[in-house]
Amino acid sequence: MIKELIIDSSPSGATIALLQDKQLVELHKEQTTNNYTVGDIYLGKIKKIMPGLNAAFVDVGYEKDAFLHYLDLGPQVQSLLKLTKQVRSGGYQSKLLDQLKLEADINKGGKISEVLTKGQLLPVQIAKEPISTKGPRLSADLSIAGRYVVLVPFSEVISISKKIKSNTERQRLRKIVESIKPKHFGVIIRTVSEGKGVTEMQKDLLDLIAKWETLITKLPSVEPSKKILGEIDRTSTILRDILNADFQSIYVNDNSMYEEVKSYIHEISPDQESIVRLHKHRDPIFEHYGIEKQIKGAFGKTVNLAGGAYLVIEHTEALHVIDVNSGNRTANKENQEENALQVNKEAAREIARQLRLRDMGGIVVIDFIDMHKPLNRKELFDYLRGEMAHDRAKHTILPPSKFGLVQITRQRVRPEMNIVTSEVCPTCHGTGAIRPTILLLDDIENNFNYILMEQNEKNITLCVHPYIEAYIKKGLYTRQMKWYFKYKQWIKVKSNPAYQITEFRFFSSKDEEIKL
């Protein structure tokens, strides 16, 4: 399986596309204004205790108070509270936990009012980003994730990923970590650490310890509800979690982002530094690699499958519903059951992709085409589980019911990726009436007069629909040539298939859109 990462960077953030064998399987948007990323650690202030919910509402600076349940406090929350109090009062000098006497674990069936009080300060970690009308979901069971290991304070336990099967390898990794981990810190050994040496493991662990020391250094002076320690950006998080030998290339369209990614790859996997490449083609990066077209085809109510079948995806407040339709796939009575199985398997593959692509969470109900043979239902269930094995989000799949329904629960930690594929006409704004197309070039030239003559812009680019570009450039004495003689400068003309026929935009020499 060949994996590629395409990063479209812009001043407002970055859009990250993960391709497997040229097919889009994950799409992530990272906004520069997003201050509540999963993994960020804040100094929360307890605003309200809710005994009925056995939870507390915490102020972390978001417009709505964040939610912290008793079960998310972590067994060593008393030690965390004790450390916070001592560090902020100046009574604790060490940056590690070697001088701290750990408190007893809290009772699993206890009450939150026995542990927390209103106005108390507690370092908390974002477990789920703000979604819809809800504030962030928090955890006080802190952890700091690295490339090979995860550092867990107030613990002595060393856990190893279940995906590492070899007992010899598990023992080797355990011995390495035992020899280098500090006192009162637990460690989770990640799957990617299999086969790694002492140097790599130690460097990763030391980096995480340095982050913890930064947290302790900032803790005395940070104001309540402010961030103490930020998770690395979304691009680096994805690279940290999924980078492996299957990655063939990483394409970036921005110089500074290119240097950042290359530097991060050099840090975590130096032998793969060469796969990072700067996109220099004049076409937009997503259009050049066919991602724009895949996005338009994959998002929306109806998703067509290669064999003629299609999916209908509906989103409600409580759950997501997916209906599988055979479409123009017909079969005679003799192979109707076999045909249903093939359509269902094809749909199962696409559904597993759609869940990752849209980052759909909560309850998902799938209405597959009815099959009468129990063996076929079991085969479909096993096939769906196999396809879902690539999904990094925690999920549970129930076997098909007698009605042919399959239920999936999938972890959701950030807002669902929702891209509207039905486009509103930029000229009529949905009214159905537009200016006469014969006046389109007059409108463009009127804007030229303003941009070039009054604003004195140089080296601008006009971006239009491909049909309009072809019209502007047709013939020997082109419209573009006429503009050159009229305005005494050459105006670049580029096309973008995503534009409507009457849509046009202007870009400066720095490739920034000129707002009119």
Side-chain angles (χ1 to χ4, degrees), residues 370 377 400-405:
D370 290 344
R377 290 199 289 269
S401 70
K402 64 179 181 180
F403 299 119
L405 301 177

mmCIF file of all heavy atoms in Angstrom, residues 370 377 400-405:
data_model
loop_
_atom_site.group_PDB
_atom_site.id
_atom_site.type_symbol
_atom_site.label_atom_id
_atom_site.label_comp_id
_atom_site.label_asym_id
_atom_site.label_seq_id
_atom_site.Cartn_x
_atom_site.Cartn_y
_atom_site.Cartn_z
ATOM 1 N N ASP A 370 -30.450 -6.766 1.643
ATOM 2 C CA ASP A 370 -30.809 -7.995 2.359
ATOM 3 C C ASP A 370 -30.143 -9.220 1.743
ATOM 4 O O ASP A 370 -30.104 -9.379 0.520
ATOM 5 C CB ASP A 370 -32.329 -8.199 2.339
ATOM 6 C CG ASP A 370 -33.041 -7.171 3.210
ATOM 7 O OD1 ASP A 370 -32.357 -6.527 4.027
ATOM 8 O OD2 ASP A 370 -34.265 -6.989 3.054
ATOM 9 N N ARG A 377 -23.863 -13.234 5.394
ATOM 10 C CA ARG A 377 -23.906 -12.142 6.361
ATOM 11 C C ARG A 377 -22.627 -12.120 7.203
ATOM 12 O O ARG A 377 -22.093 -11.053 7.504
ATOM 13 C CB ARG A 377 -25.143 -12.262 7.254
ATOM 14 C CG ARG A 377 -26.457 -11.983 6.528
ATOM 15 C CD ARG A 377 -27.576 -11.645 7.505
ATOM 16 N NE ARG A 377 -27.988 -12.808 8.269
ATOM 17 C CZ ARG A 377 -28.965 -13.648 7.905
ATOM 18 N NH1 ARG A 377 -29.624 -13.440 6.773
ATOM 19 N NH2 ARG A 377 -29.286 -14.681 8.657
ATOM 20 N N PRO A 400 -24.563 -7.991 11.556
ATOM 21 C CA PRO A 400 -25.837 -7.612 10.924
ATOM 22 C C PRO A 400 -27.029 -8.181 11.697
ATOM 23 O O PRO A 400 -27.022 -9.335 12.112
ATOM 24 C CB PRO A 400 -25.742 -8.226 9.522
ATOM 25 C CG PRO A 400 -24.288 -8.434 9.287
ATOM 26 C CD PRO A 400 -23.680 -8.711 10.619
ATOM 27 N N SER A 401 -28.051 -7.362 11.905
ATOM 28 C CA SER A 401 -29.272 -7.824 12.556
ATOM 29 C C SER A 401 -30.110 -8.594 11.539
ATOM 30 O O SER A 401 -29.775 -8.670 10.362
ATOM 31 C CB SER A 401 -30.068 -6.633 13.085
ATOM 32 O OG SER A 401 -30.606 -5.891 11.994
ATOM 33 N N LYS A 402 -31.233 -9.152 11.999
ATOM 34 C CA LYS A 402 -32.081 -9.910 11.073
ATOM 35 C C LYS A 402 -32.728 -8.993 10.040
ATOM 36 O O LYS A 402 -33.248 -9.463 9.031
ATOM 37 C CB LYS A 402 -33.139 -10.696 11.846
ATOM 38 C CG LYS A 402 -34.137 -9.844 12.617
ATOM 39 C CD LYS A 402 -35.135 -10.750 13.325
ATOM 40 C CE LYS A 402 -36.171 -9.946 14.101
ATOM 41 N NZ LYS A 402 -37.144 -10.819 14.785
ATOM 42 N N PHE A 403 -32.684 -7.684 10.281
ATOM 43 C CA PHE A 403 -33.196 -6.727 9.293
ATOM 44 C C PHE A 403 -32.108 -6.275 8.320
ATOM 45 O O PHE A 403 -32.354 -5.425 7.465
ATOM 46 C CB PHE A 403 -33.781 -5.498 10.000
ATOM 47 C CG PHE A 403 -34.920 -5.814 10.909
ATOM 48 C CD1 PHE A 403 -34.850 -5.552 12.253
ATOM 49 C CD2 PHE A 403 -36.091 -6.396 10.403
ATOM 50 C CE1 PHE A 403 -35.899 -5.850 13.106
ATOM 51 C CE2 PHE A 403 -37.142 -6.699 11.250
ATOM 52 C CZ PHE A 403 -37.049 -6.435 12.598
ATOM 53 N N GLY A 404 -30.900 -6.806 8.482
ATOM 54 C CA GLY A 404 -29.807 -6.437 7.591
ATOM 55 C C GLY A 404 -29.098 -5.164 7.993
ATOM 56 O O GLY A 404 -28.324 -4.607 7.223
ATOM 57 N N LEU A 405 -29.342 -4.668 9.229
ATOM 58 C CA LEU A 405 -28.716 -3.431 9.687
ATOM 59 C C LEU A 405 -27.426 -3.724 10.439
ATOM 60 O O LEU A 405 -27.359 -4.652 11.248
ATOM 61 C CB LEU A 405 -29.665 -2.658 10.605
ATOM 62 C CG LEU A 405 -31.013 -2.232 10.023
ATOM 63 C CD1 LEU A 405 -31.847 -1.547 11.093
ATOM 64 C CD2 LEU A 405 -30.823 -1.323 8.828
#
